Amino acid sequence: MNLVIEEINRARKVLHRHKFFDKTILMIGRALDNDIVLSEPHVSPYHAELRLGDDNKWKIYDLDSTNGIRSERRKPIESGSVIESGSTFLLGRCYLSIWDQQHPVEETWPLHSVEEVFHRLSHAGVVLILLAALIFGEWQFAVLQSYRDLAPSRLVNELLYEVVAVLGWASVWSLSGRILRHDSRFLSHLAVTIVAAMLLQWTPHLLRIVAFNIDFGLWITEVSYFINGLIFASLLWCNFYLAYPQKPMVRIVWSNTIAWGMVLVYLLPPLFDRQGYRGYPLYDSTLMPASLVWEKPDSLNSFLKSTKSLYQFSEVSDGVKEMVESDNQKSKVDTDKDILSKDSPGKDNPNKDSPSKDNPSKDESPIAVDKKNPSDR
C-alpha cells in the first residue's frame, strides 16, 4: 500500500506533501537521513517510524522520542498502533496526515460566476476609479447635508476616516487570505470593499429621496438597516470567498449570521429611541432640490384651499354641529362677562372704585369751613 503523507497546520492547510511507493519502512525526524525531515525543534532526530506489517497494514512506532506521538485531539498514541487512512498525528508541534493512495477525494467545488468579476476588479486602474468615485460622492453628499458653508477641515477628516476604514478592512482580509490560502488578492478585496462603501454611502440619500416623495418616513430607519444588512452580508460573502476555502453553504451561513447579528445589535437602540422619548425633535437637514420631486407640487392657492377645507364640518353629523355651536356660544358669553366685569366697578372692593363719605373722590371733595370766620362762607 503506497502512502501520501501531508504536513498540515492547525487550520488543516497543506504545507508539504510527500508520496512514497514500494516502501515498507519510513523514518520521520529532524535528522537529515530520515525519509521525512521535519524542522520543528520539538521533534526528536529520530522521532517515529512507519512500518508495513505482514497483514498489509501500516503501523506507527515511537522511537523513544522526547515528546512522544499524540493524536489530533492531543491524546497519547501507543507505539505499534494501526494507521487508518486519513489519520492525523502530532509530532512535537507538527501535524502529519497519512493517507492511502487509493483514498477517495472530495467532490470538486464549482467555481462561482463572480470569479470573473473579481478578476476584472483586481486591476489597479479600476480600483483608482472606484476610490475617486467614493471620494467625489462623499464630497457631494457633504455639500447637500450642510445648510451652512462647508468646512474644508471637516470634509478632509471625513474623507480620511472613510479611506482608512476601507483600506484597513481590505488589508485584514487580504492578510487572512495570505495566511490561509497563500493568496492575498488585496486589490480584489479593496475593490469589493469600495463598492460596498459606495452602496452604504448612497443608500440613506436614496431613501431620503424616496421618503421625500412617498409617505413612509416612519419606517425609514428599519428599511435603511435592512438594506445595510443586505450590503454587509454581500460584502462578507465576497471576503469569505476570496480569503477562505469554504463550502458554498458554509460561506452563506457565516456571512449572513455575522451581518444580521450586527444589524440586530445596531437596530435595537433606535427602536427605543423614538420621538416621544426625546427632549428635542428629530429632523433631517438634507437640502432637496426641486428636481428631485417626482410629482408637480401644488400651487399656493390650491394649498390654501385644501388647508381651509380641514376646518370645515362637511362630514360631521348634525348633533355634533349643535354641540360645537352651543360650546362656541357658551364660550362667547363667558368671554363677554369677563370683559364686562373688568370694565364695571367690583362689589367686592368698593373702596377702590366707588366714592363714599369715608373715601370721597377727587371731584367731590368737601369744602373746608372755618367756624371762627363765618363770613368767609
Side-chain angles (χ1 to χ4, degrees):
M1 182 175 65
N2 300 324
L3 288 182
V4 177
I5 301 178
E6 297 175 343
E7 296 181 45
I8 62 175
N9 57 16
R10 293 185 178 183
R12 303 195 67 83
K13 178 67 180 178
V14 178
L15 305 178
H16 300 284
R17 184 176 284 116
H18 310 273
K19 297 177 68 175
F20 300 96
F21 301 97
D22 301 329
K23 280 207 168 191
T24 57
I25 297 177
L26 295 174
M27 302 291 295
I28 303 174
R30 277 191 301 112
L32 298 180
D33 57 346
N34 287 292
D35 297 295
I36 299 177
V37 180
L38 302 176
S39 59
E40 164 63 35
H42 299 89
V43 175
S44 301
Y46 299 96
H47 198 109
E49 180 184 79
L50 305 181
R51 189 182 304 167
L52 183 62
D54 297 336
D55 54 355
N56 201 28
K57 292 183 178 180
W58 285 90
K59 297 180 181 180
I60 186 168
Y61 295 91
D62 188 359
L63 300 180
D64 196 19
S65 62
T66 302
N67 296 307
I69 303 173
R70 289 174 289 173
S71 65
E72 189 176 9
R73 296 183 178 180
R74 309 185 75 86
K75 294 182 178 180
I77 298 294
E78 295 183 0
S79 183
S81 299
V82 177
I83 301 174
E84 300 292 338
S85 180
S87 300
T88 301
F89 300 96
L90 182 60
L91 280 66
R93 290 183 178 175
C94 286
Y95 290 88
L96 296 179
S97 291
I98 303 175
W99 304 84
D100 182 9
Q101 187 181 6
Q102 303 300 325
H103 192 93
V105 296
E106 189 180 1
E107 294 183 0
T108 305
W109 295 358
L111 194 64
H112 203 277
S113 58
V114 298
E115 183 67 30
E116 186 65 24
V117 177
F118 291 149
H119 177 70
R120 294 181 179 181
L121 291 176
S122 61
H123 295 284
V126 176
V127 174
L128 290 177
I129 292 174
L130 292 175
L131 188 60
L134 177 65
I135 295 174
F136 179 77
E138 184 66 26
W139 171 56
Q140 288 295 316
F141 290 136
V143 172
L144 286 176
Q145 288 181 334
S146 179
Y147 58 90
R148 298 177 179 177
D149 294 337
L150 184 62
S153 59
R154 178 184 175 186
L155 178 60
V156 171
N157 290 334
E158 292 179 356
L159 290 176
L160 286 177
Y161 173 78
E162 193 162 355
V163 171
V164 169
V166 168
L167 291 175
W169 181 272
S171 300
V172 169
W173 285 98
S174 177
L175 181 61
S176 301
R178 181 65 179 176
I179 295 173
L180 299 175
R181 212 170 186 171
H182 299 282
D183 187 9
S184 62
R185 305 190 72 171
F186 174 73
L187 292 179
S188 297
H189 282 290
L190 183 58
V192 170
T193 307
I194 293 175
V195 171
M198 291 175 64
L199 292 176
L200 293 174
Q201 182 187 70
W202 279 83
T203 297
H205 302 283
L206 293 177
L207 286 178
R208 289 191 184 100
I209 294 174
V210 176
F212 185 64
N213 294 273
I214 301 176
D215 188 15
F216 80 100
L218 294 176
W219 297 96
I220 190 170
T221 301
E222 288 76 7
V223 174
S224 176
Y225 274 98
F226 178 76
I227 296 176
N228 291 341
L230 292 177
I231 297 172
F232 191 39
S234 302
L235 173 62
L236 286 175
W237 186 93
C238 296
N239 293 137
F240 278 121
Y241 181 85
L242 293 170
Y244 296 111
Q246 292 177 319
K247 293 182 179 180
M249 186 55 63
V250 176
R251 189 183 308 120
I252 292 175
V253 170
W254 271 106
S255 58
N256 282 276
T257 300
I258 297 174
W260 293 111
M262 295 288 292
V263 169
L264 185 62
V265 170
Y266 282 97
L267 184 59
L268 286 178
L271 290 178
F272 297 99
D273 189 18
R274 292 300 185 185
Q275 186 78 12
Y277 299 98
R278 301 181 68 92
Y280 54 91
L282 291 173
Y283 63 93
D284 188 2
S285 61
T286 304
L287 303 177
M288 292 292 181
S291 59
L292 297 179
V293 180
W294 296 345
E295 298 181 357
K296 186 178 180 180
D298 295 337
S299 62
L300 179 60
N301 294 329
S302 62
F303 175 74
L304 294 175
K305 185 177 180 181
S306 62
T307 305
K308 292 179 180 179
S309 64
L310 296 175
Y311 301 96
Q312 295 177 359
F313 298 96
S314 58
E315 299 180 358
V316 183
S317 61
D318 296 336
V320 177
K321 284 183 178 180
E322 294 177 359
M323 292 175 61
V324 173
E325 291 176 358
S326 62
D327 291 340
N328 292 335
Q329 292 178 359
K330 185 177 179 181
S331 61
K332 185 177 181 181
V333 171
D334 294 339
T335 304
D336 295 338
K337 289 181 178 180
D338 293 339
I339 294 173
L340 292 173
S341 63
K342 290 180 181 178
D343 294 338
S344 62
K347 297 179 180 180
D348 297 336
N349 192 10
N351 296 329
K352 181 177 181 182
D353 298 325
S354 60
S356 62
K357 296 180 180 180
D358 298 333
N359 187 19
S361 62
K362 294 181 180 179
D363 297 335
E364 299 179 358
S365 59
I367 301 174
V369 179
D370 191 358
K371 294 181 180 181
K372 295 181 179 180
N373 299 317
S375 60
D376 294 342
R377 254 189 279 179

